[in-house]
């Protein structure tokens, strides 16, 4: 057996299995800083590129707040979000998200995404817990959410 083939085979055997609820974390410092000022910097794989484009186009009314970015900052963050979007980056979570998004739809909230709704069909009392407050507070239930790990805690 060739050494490279043997090494590749061993690597595959020793590599940890891909977890169903892991996504690439936001590693870009500017995106993490600017988006993370008010909420967790959500992983782009939870929405299609068209959603991120629309969100970035409407920063003057970003869910009731006005977000002000320098044009070059906005362009950079847009590029990061679009490049990692569910329909661009791939991965198990992204494929699952895209399988449930209406092909003509543009979800503007992760919490309105059909995959999120299906996986988070909880009674209202769960959402009303003081540590949760809002459905978009992923770290309240998924302690490693910012690292892209949504496995059950």
């Amino acid at each position: 057996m060739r050494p490279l083939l043997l090494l590749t085979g061993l690597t595959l055997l020793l590599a940890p299995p891909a977890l169903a609820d892991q996504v690439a974390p936001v590693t870009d410092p500017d995106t993490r800083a600017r988006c993370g000022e008010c909420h967790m910097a959500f992983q782009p794989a939870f929405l299609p590129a068209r959603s991120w484009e629309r969100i970035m186009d409407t920063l003057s009314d970003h869910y009731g707040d006005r977000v002000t970015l320098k044009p070059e900052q906005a362009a950079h963050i847009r590029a990061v979000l679009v490049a990692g979007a569910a329909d661009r980056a791939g991965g198990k979570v992204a494929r699952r998200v895209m399988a449930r998004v209406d092909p003509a739809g543009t979800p503007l909230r992760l919490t309105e995404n059909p995959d999120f709704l299906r996986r988070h069909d909880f009674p209202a009392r769960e959402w009303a817990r003081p540590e949760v407050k809002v459905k978009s507070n992923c770290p309240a239930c998924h302690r490693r959410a910012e690292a892209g790990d949504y496995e059950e805690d």
Side-chain angles (χ1 to χ4, degrees):
M1 184 175 258
R2 293 185 178 147
L4 182 57
L5 206 51
L6 178 61
L7 182 59
T8 303
L10 286 173
T11 302
L12 290 174
L13 286 174
L14 298 174
L19 298 173
D21 290 325
Q22 285 202 334
V23 294
V26 177
T27 57
D28 177 68
D30 201 32
T31 303
R32 285 182 61 90
R34 294 297 295 164
C35 298
E37 284 179 10
C38 300
H39 55 74
M40 182 184 103
F42 298 110
Q43 291 85 9
F46 286 121
L47 291 172
R50 63 186 175 270
S51 296
W52 292 116
E53 293 278 8
R54 177 87 51 86
I55 289 167
M56 292 302 295
D57 286 344
T58 57
L59 291 178
S60 62
D61 183 10
H62 188 65
Y63 310 104
D65 291 322
R66 180 177 181 76
V67 176
T68 307
L69 297 172
K70 294 177 184 171
E72 62 274 7
Q73 243 181 346
H76 174 76
I77 291 170
R78 177 188 300 263
V80 168
L81 295 172
V82 168
D87 53 344
R88 303 280 173 93
K92 288 181 182 182
V93 171
R95 283 191 300 276
R96 191 177 70 218
V97 166
M98 290 308 298
R100 292 184 175 82
V101 169
D102 179 344
T106 305
L108 297 180
R109 294 177 182 269
L110 279 67
T111 57
E112 293 173 359
N113 167 324
D115 185 59
F116 178 94
L117 294 171
R118 184 183 69 79
R119 298 173 70 81
H120 294 83
D121 184 19
F122 304 129
R125 70 177 179 275
E126 289 296 317
W127 298 114
R129 292 185 352 225
E131 67 274 16
V132 176
K133 296 179 188 163
V134 294
K135 289 182 180 182
S136 60
N137 183 11
C138 303
C141 300
H142 304 280
R143 291 180 300 237
R144 296 177 304 275
E146 291 193 54
D149 183 354
Y150 290 84
E151 289 293 316
E152 295 301 319
D153 289 329

